[in-house]
Amino acid sequence: MDVDLWLPRLLALAWLTPLASFAVILFFGPRLGRSGRYAAQLATVAVGLSCLLSFAALGIWLLHYPLSAAHGAHEPAAQRALCGEWYLLCAFGKLRFVISYYIDALTLAMFCMVTLVALCIHVYSWGYMAEELQEVTDALAPLSDGQPLRRKGRYCRFFQWLSLFCFSMLGLVVAGNLAMVFVFWELVGICSYLLIGFWYERRSAAYAASKAFIVNRVGDCGMLVGLMILLSGLGTLSFGVYYIRDEQGRSVLQAGIFSQVRPARSDFQLQVPDGLVRMSAWREVLKILGAHGGNTAAAEKVISEKLPDWRKSGYGYGLLLLAGLGVFCGCVGKSAQFPLHVWLPDAMEGPTPVSALIHAATMVAAGVYLVGRFYPAFTPEVLLIIAVVGCVTLLLAGTIALTATDIKRVLAYSTVSQLGFMMLALGLGGWLAGVFHLLTHAFFKALLFLCAGSVIHACGVNEMPCFGGLRRKMPITAWTMLIGCLAITGAGIPTLIGLSGFYSKDLILSQGFSFWSANPGLGGWFFFGALLGACLTACYMFRLWYLTFSGTPRDAHIYQHAHESPRVMSVPLVVLALLAATVGWKAPGTDWSLRTLLEQACPPGVEKGLSHGWYWPAVTLPAEKPAHEYYTAVIVEWSAFLVALIGFLAATVIYGMRKLDPAVIRRYFAPLYSLFWHKWWFDELYGLLFVRPVLKLSLLAAAIDRHVWDRLADGSARAVAALARFDDYFDRRLVDGAVNLLARWTQASAYRLRRLQTGNLHSYILWLAAGLIGLFVLLTLYWNYTMAGI
Amino acid sequence: MNIFASPVGMVHYLMVGAVLFVCGIACMATKRNILGVLMGIELVLNGANLNFVAFSAKALVKESTMGIGLEGTVIALFVIALAAAEAAVALAIALSFYHTHATVDVDRGQELKG
């Protein structure tokens, strides 16, 4: 089988199936069964089909590029990634906008993960969204008269947006150029907007949806800057290199970003591309062009000879850095990293399956995925900034999660924290660690969210202080959630075996450790930050579990009404729990695993590490291989195990065994508690810095509108009205008057003349005679022969 | 010129025609009986006829390529036929008038005045 031909076709089919389901539900949704109940089945079948196709594609890939532990380091990039075009949108000279693909092991792993998680969430949503089938009474969206809102159910609309969401995410993953990535990036954003605001009658949901959308726009602004730099410097946004046919049917090489940033002839080491050097040295280029007059060929020769010198003196490096920062800026918004993390916890206003989808497979995964995909083009400075942002984010979110009481918000902050872990790993040079954690996190975070949804479904509230002791009422949810908690904590026996989070988190920590070894001193902060984050993770996850499932019921009413969720919701939980436990394991009998699959996708040159940035030459990003060596692994895994144990024990002592009263601890650390409880005052800070000034400015603009522009518009309207009134007067008085006058005169003379017709025959004859006589008189007086023409 | 002394010519015919015409007019103007009015009409028509015939005298008619010199006489014949037809219609009107008004006084019929 021709892999170059069939793999893109399979993936295109897997990608477009959810779109087809979206279109069908969009146009025929309410007609699919009673109140659209078959929309759910349709969307599920579609995503299930694309899941099957993705796994088939993965199988074909593995047949052609078998995994091996030593694989990858010495093979050229072209053999491990399929690039090409599906459809040409438009071409302007050499600039082409295309629907293209870039398929490597990472793409396939993401495809399988996204479709599998989405499939579980779809099935789960059948049960969770069932109440949308009937008319819904929404007490959280009161009308102006205080009555709860009553509206039609929106069952099929929910699945419609889910399908579009899957399509957008798959498009983003398979995209072969940054322009296409950006399009699907925005599509993912709009889908999340629509789903977060699914209950848009609720004020908080509408607010959260707008917030998510606007905060993401801030990041996208930076991303556009990065895209523009790359497009103007390199003339292409394509990731990979492939051959295309031009108008004459010749084969032409389509340039790619990666081959210019890390050319094969310099052994895939990062170097500033010619285009950016030239763009940066425009003064020198102009000088040379001027010196050669009209002879451009000679001038080009001189320029190309000078390019290496310019590169050595630092031209273009700033542009490359800025482009990387710009792209990362977009990822900061999408993946809810430190300055722009505020939208994600508010996104909890959406239905829980949506939260699961956003947090696990689609929206926030997109940011980390793009950092992973675009990784070869990041300079050491950008990577260090990524690491700092990730480290700050993971600690910030971890501390907030310690105090949050809304079950979904705890999970939301844990997502932010885990995303921080991924960014930290990527920033420290651990490409594999970051991407691996992205994939394992997807499974256990989806599991955790669906479990939380199950609890919310049973109890009707989100607040953990209302739960307690639910283990006895809903055992499946409790035990699957425990597996999820253990997985996210990274539980396992060091150096031997563990749940999926164990493998990925240890990779991250060992990368942090080897960064510390490579950069003694300040470099250690990242490692200790990550350790602290791991400790916090264990603490808040088990706090959540204890508060919800163990102890005695704190709200008897809610406890009495709680029940285990129906089969359609608990089966996805069990499936996801199995996946969350095992996805990090090796396939039995081989050394194939998710990790070796991703190792194969590692961009060439990246595995050697990175150092000697232009601005901070002292920083060295260590290669990933030494980080995984045995002695490092032992130290790191044991320390990770210990800190997680500390976090777990703290949670157990306080919330599980109730040896310490949380209220007492809260009083001891009152200022700190207040800081965490108010989410480090970020919402208030942004409110003060951005929201209020913008509101003030818009009030000012509104006032100017009302008092200046409206006045002008009103004045011109009034002038036109006056003119029209004058015109009307003219018409009525002059034109109509003349016509009426004529008519009235005619009428008056007719009235006068009618008196002649007396009906008296004699008078007629007298008139006749008189007329005759008059005629005779006239003839006698004035008639002559010349008048008759004789 | 004394017309009574001169031989009968054009002027005499015209004089008779004029007298007939004026008598007819006077009859129409004075008679209240509808039949009298009709008679006046006959007189007017015949006065006019006399003029036609007089003007068609050989001496007055110019040599022409079109006509045969009988135009005036023929018109007089037409007028006689017309007068007969008109008399028939007018008598029918008179009868009808009598039926509706029980009189033949034209002054009594003023329904169509303006």
Side-chain angles (χ1 to χ4, degrees):
Chain A
M1 201 186 321
D2 192 357
V3 66
D4 293 351
L5 195 64
W6 281 100
L7 215 50
R9 286 184 188 177
L10 271 180
L11 286 189
L13 211 56
W15 168 42
L16 294 175
T17 318
L19 179 68
S21 138
F22 163 71
V24 170
I25 300 176
L26 178 66
F27 291 118
F28 309 108
R31 267 171 273 165
L32 299 170
R34 198 156 50 77
S35 55
R37 66 176 61 232
Y38 295 121
Q41 275 85 340
L42 179 70
T44 313
V45 166
V47 77
L49 193 64
S50 75
C51 184
L52 280 180
L53 289 167
S54 307
F55 275 98
L58 181 66
I60 294 173
W61 176 273
L62 288 178
L63 283 178
H64 270 80
Y65 303 104
L67 304 176
S68 65
H71 190 95
H74 305 293
E75 275 200 42
Q79 287 187 9
R80 283 186 291 151
L82 298 176
C83 315
E85 281 175 15
W86 273 315
Y87 185 73
L88 174 68
L89 292 171
C90 53
F92 309 101
K94 279 187 174 173
L95 193 61
R96 293 160 65 84
F97 288 97
V98 288
I99 306 279
S100 61
Y101 53 83
Y102 185 90
I103 299 168
D104 61 358
L106 176 63
T107 313
L108 289 162
M110 287 292 288
F111 252 76
C112 294
M113 180 275 279
V114 170
T115 51
L116 198 56
V117 170
L119 180 62
C120 290
I121 291 171
H122 271 74
V123 173
Y124 180 88
S125 304
W126 294 12
Y128 194 84
M129 300 306 288
E131 61 194 32
E132 287 286 336
L133 278 169
Q134 289 103 33
E135 191 172 87
V136 180
T137 308
D138 197 341
L140 292 172
L143 298 172
S144 53
D145 56 357
Q147 292 293 310
L149 171 88
R150 290 178 68 80
R151 59 168 172 82
K152 272 171 128 182
R154 291 199 279 257
Y155 193 67
C156 57
R157 192 189 293 182
F158 181 78
F159 285 95
Q160 169 189 329
W161 296 137
L162 277 194
S163 285
L164 186 64
F165 213 158
C166 294
F167 161 73
S168 318
M169 186 63 196
L170 294 179
L172 197 155
V173 172
V174 82
N177 61 71
L178 272 175
M180 191 176 159
V181 165
F182 191 71
V183 169
F184 285 99
W185 190 261
E186 296 302 320
L187 262 178
V188 170
I190 193 73
C191 288
S192 74
Y193 170 80
L194 291 166
L195 282 167
I196 293 168
F198 184 71
W199 289 313
Y200 54 79
E201 292 93 350
R202 299 181 186 172
R203 220 180 145 67
S204 54
Y207 179 76
S210 311
K211 189 172 175 181
F213 200 69
I214 292 167
V215 171
N216 267 296
R217 292 292 77 68
V218 177
D220 293 345
C221 187
M223 182 153 171
L224 271 179
V225 172
L227 254 60
M228 281 187 274
I229 292 174
L230 289 170
L231 191 61
S232 50
L234 306 181
T236 177
L237 286 175
S238 170
F239 289 133
V241 175
Y242 54 92
Y243 284 95
I244 45 169
R245 299 216 166 269
D246 64 359
E247 289 93 32
Q248 282 85 39
R250 287 171 306 194
S251 247
V252 183
L253 196 70
Q254 164 73 38
I257 295 174
F258 296 162
S259 65
Q260 296 190 50
V261 176
R262 286 176 182 264
R265 62 175 180 280
S266 67
D267 201 18
F268 300 112
Q269 286 310 295
L270 185 71
Q271 91 174 23
V272 183
D274 293 350
L276 287 178
V277 173
R278 218 188 134 122
M279 199 167 116
S280 179
W282 59 277
R283 272 205 192 86
E284 278 73 3
V285 170
L286 277 187
K287 234 179 267 166
I288 292 168
L289 283 175
H292 283 78
N295 192 354
T296 43
E300 287 300 326
K301 196 154 170 280
V302 176
I303 290 171
S304 61
E305 278 165 5
K306 286 234 173 181
L307 273 176
D309 293 342
W310 288 341
R311 181 177 291 129
K312 257 185 213 124
S313 48
Y315 279 111
Y317 192 87
L319 282 177
L320 187 60
L321 193 149
L322 208 61
L325 269 185
V327 170
F328 175 61
C329 197
C331 301
V332 165
K334 195 106 325 198
S335 282
Q337 293 300 296
F338 153 54
L340 302 179
H341 64 279
V342 287
W343 68 268
L344 193 56
D346 284 14
M348 294 299 101
E349 290 296 335
T352 311
V354 173
S355 308
L357 199 60
I358 288 180
H359 284 250
T362 52
M363 180 89 174
V364 296
V368 181
Y369 168 77
L370 186 62
V371 172
R373 172 59 80 218
F374 198 66
Y375 204 78
F378 287 131
T379 64
E381 289 84 357
V382 178
L383 287 175
L384 204 64
I385 291 170
I386 294 177
V388 172
V389 167
C391 195
V392 171
T393 310
L394 85 91
L395 290 175
L396 195 76
T399 52
I400 300 173
L402 272 183
T403 58
T405 55
D406 182 322
I407 186 168
K408 278 176 81 182
R409 275 184 189 259
V410 175
L411 290 178
Y413 281 109
S414 91
T415 305
V416 177
S417 178
Q418 298 305 311
L419 290 168
F421 265 112
M422 297 170 208
M423 287 294 184
L424 174 68
L426 287 164
L428 296 180
W431 188 88
L432 175 65
V435 174
F436 189 31
H437 196 55
L438 173 67
L439 285 157
T440 55
H441 172 258
F443 292 107
F444 53 68
K445 190 42 66 71
L447 169 65
L448 286 169
F449 262 109
L450 295 188
C451 286
S454 176
V455 171
I456 294 168
H457 194 66
C459 300
V461 288
N462 290 12
E463 287 299 312
M464 289 195 295
C466 301
F467 302 151
L470 288 172
R471 183 178 75 235
R472 287 179 290 278
K473 282 278 190 171
M474 32 199 336
I476 301 179
T477 309
W479 297 121
T480 47
M481 190 147 194
L482 185 62
I483 293 175
C485 288
L486 286 169
I488 197 172
T489 312
I493 303 162
T495 69
L496 205 59
I497 195 164
L499 302 179
S500 61
F502 166 77
Y503 297 98
S504 54
K505 196 161 280 184
D506 284 351
L507 274 190
I508 294 172
L509 288 170
S510 56
Q511 186 66 31
F513 186 76
S514 68
F515 184 81
W516 186 21
S517 332
N519 304 278
L522 287 177
W525 285 102
F526 293 113
F527 179 60
F528 290 116
L531 276 183
L532 184 57
C535 175
L536 288 174
T537 307
C539 190
Y540 62 71
M541 285 321 295
F542 281 96
R543 170 176 174 267
L544 183 150
W545 196 85
Y546 285 131
L547 278 176
T548 309
F549 294 110
S550 77
T552 49
R554 281 181 292 276
D555 189 325
H557 180 73
I558 286 176
Y559 183 76
Q560 268 172 9
H561 287 83
H563 55 84
E564 182 59 272
S565 298
R567 191 71 56 83
V568 73
M569 286 164 73
S570 56
V571 168
L573 294 185
V574 174
V575 172
L576 278 175
L578 280 177
L579 284 168
T582 59
V583 82
W585 292 354
K586 283 176 179 145
T590 59
D591 58 355
W592 288 14
S593 68
L594 182 59
R595 182 180 149 172
T596 45
L597 178 70
L598 290 173
E599 253 172 29
Q600 191 201 35
C602 185
V606 164
E607 73 283 341
K608 295 199 184 76
L610 204 56
S611 57
H612 305 300
W614 187 263
Y615 296 101
W616 301 325
V619 174
T620 307
L621 298 169
E624 230 173 346
K625 278 275 187 297
H628 305 157
E629 273 168 13
Y630 184 73
Y631 78 96
T632 322
V634 171
I635 299 170
V636 167
E637 286 183 19
W638 276 106
S639 52
F641 181 75
L642 282 177
V643 293
L645 197 65
I646 292 168
F648 168 70
L649 286 177
T652 309
V653 168
I654 300 171
Y655 296 100
M657 291 147 72
R658 295 268 159 193
K659 294 281 181 206
L660 287 168
D661 189 1
V664 175
I665 304 171
R666 206 174 299 157
R667 226 170 303 128
Y668 265 112
F669 299 100
L672 214 54
Y673 174 76
S674 165
L675 181 69
F676 295 165
W677 174 252
H678 290 101
K679 300 169 258 174
W680 294 63
W681 305 100
F682 265 106
D683 281 335
E684 287 79 2
L685 183 72
Y686 288 170
L688 199 70
L689 281 182
F690 305 113
V691 179
R692 273 190 39 205
V694 167
L695 280 181
K696 286 264 158 63
L697 196 69
S698 40
L699 280 179
L700 181 72
I704 290 174
D705 256 19
R706 205 171 304 126
H707 292 119
V708 180
W709 302 117
D710 282 14
R711 288 266 170 88
L712 273 178
D714 284 358
S716 66
R718 239 176 264 134
V720 169
L723 189 71
R725 257 197 300 281
F726 170 73
D727 198 25
D728 176 61
Y729 179 83
F730 182 81
D731 259 19
R732 271 179 213 283
R733 288 296 162 100
L734 258 69
V735 180
D736 287 12
V739 174
N740 285 341
L741 196 69
L742 187 69
R744 225 175 287 135
W745 179 77
T746 311
Q747 197 184 27
S749 46
Y751 274 125
R752 239 170 263 138
L753 283 174
R754 65 181 273 214
R755 269 185 243 139
L756 286 177
Q757 200 174 1
T758 55
N760 191 348
L761 208 53
H762 300 239
S763 66
Y764 292 171
I765 288 165
L766 277 178
W767 279 111
L768 202 114
L772 201 64
I773 290 165
L775 207 60
F776 273 127
V777 170
L778 281 175
L779 280 178
T780 318
L781 286 177
Y782 299 109
W783 192 80
N784 54 35
Y785 285 101
T786 55
M787 282 169 125
I790 299 171
Chain B
M1 157 186 119
N2 185 356
I3 57 166
F4 295 106
S6 56
V8 174
M10 181 65 151
V11 179
H12 299 88
Y13 284 95
L14 293 182
M15 290 295 288
V16 175
V19 169
L20 269 176
F21 185 84
V22 173
C23 286
I25 290 285
C27 180
M28 280 158 74
T30 52
K31 285 288 179 186
R32 292 168 67 184
N33 190 321
I34 191 167
L35 297 173
V37 175
L38 279 177
M39 284 175 197
I41 291 171
E42 292 303 320
L43 284 182
V44 167
L45 286 175
N46 283 321
N49 258 357
L50 208 55
N51 279 17
F52 274 118
V53 174
F55 282 120
S56 70
K58 269 271 175 11
L60 285 175
V61 176
K62 206 179 171 185
E63 284 298 325
S64 135
T65 52
M66 298 290 289
I68 54 171
L70 288 173
E71 289 92 343
T73 328
V74 170
I75 287 176
L77 279 172
F78 273 129
V79 172
I80 290 165
L82 205 73
E86 178 254 313
V89 172
L91 283 172
I93 292 172
L95 269 176
S96 174
F97 188 80
Y98 180 73
H99 272 302
T100 53
H101 293 79
T103 178
V104 287
D105 185 353
V106 289
D107 288 349
R108 301 287 292 278
Q110 290 185 330
E111 286 90 346
L112 292 177
K113 77 168 181 180

